[in-house]
């Protein structure tokens, strides 16, 4: 079992930055693909970014050039650094872990409870 607890969300003005964190407990992230998804009110949960192997990453088009996913093996934590935030980035951000890289929610077994990110205009 892997327990994920996201943190670092909050309120930020457009153009600002936030870093959300996803520490794992129960077992390490080694061997897992870890992804960030987000869900805005009234919308489906959507893929944002993922990381697997040592540092292979993949981003949704909406995140490319603005967001960076990274992992700290010593802290067993995955981060999502978000820069140049836009109001349309407002959503609950979820961390998820699975065995295979994928942009689909069904591919991920373990999920955190989410952290709210609100970007004001």
């Amino acid at each position: 079992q892997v327990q994920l607890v996201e943190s670092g969300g909050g309120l930020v003005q457009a153009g600002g930055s936030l870093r959300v964190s996803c520490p794992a407990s129960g077992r390490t992230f080694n061997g897992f693909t870890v992804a960030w998804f987000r869900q805005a009110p009234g919308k489906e949960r959507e893929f944002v970014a993922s990381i697997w192997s040592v540092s292979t990453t993949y981003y949704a088009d909406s995140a490319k050039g603005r967001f960076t996913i990274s992992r700290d093996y010593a802290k067993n934590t995955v981060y999502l650094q978000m820069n140049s935030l836009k109001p349309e980035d407002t959503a609950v951000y979820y961390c998820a872990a699975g065995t295979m890289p994928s942009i689909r929610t069904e591919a991920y077994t373990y999920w955190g409870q989410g952290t709210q990110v609100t970007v004001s205009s």
Side-chain angles (χ1 to χ4, degrees), residues 8 11 16 32 41 44 46 56 71 79 83-84 89 104 107 119:
L11 173 64
F32 282 97
E44 292 188 353
E46 65 175 7
T56 304
R71 67 199 304 170
Y79 303 97
N83 300 326
S84 302
D89 294 318
R104 301 180 61 186
V119 184

Side-chain angles (χ1 to χ4, degrees), residues 40-85:
K43 295 187 176 181
E44 292 188 353
R45 194 168 297 189
E46 65 175 7
F47 171 82
V48 177
S50 60
I51 187 167
W52 68 94
S53 298
V54 177
S55 58
T56 304
T57 59
Y58 184 76
Y59 296 91
D61 287 344
S62 60
K64 287 179 183 177
R66 299 189 300 127
F67 294 3
T68 302
I69 188 171
S70 62
R71 67 199 304 170
D72 184 327
Y73 282 93
K75 295 182 178 180
N76 205 29
T77 299
V78 171
Y79 303 97
L80 183 69
Q81 175 68 44
M82 301 181 288
N83 300 326
S84 302
L85 283 161

Side-chain angles (χ1 to χ4, degrees), residues 3 21 31 37 50 65 88 115:
Q3 291 81 44
S21 302
F37 289 79
S50 60
E88 51 263 44
T115 185

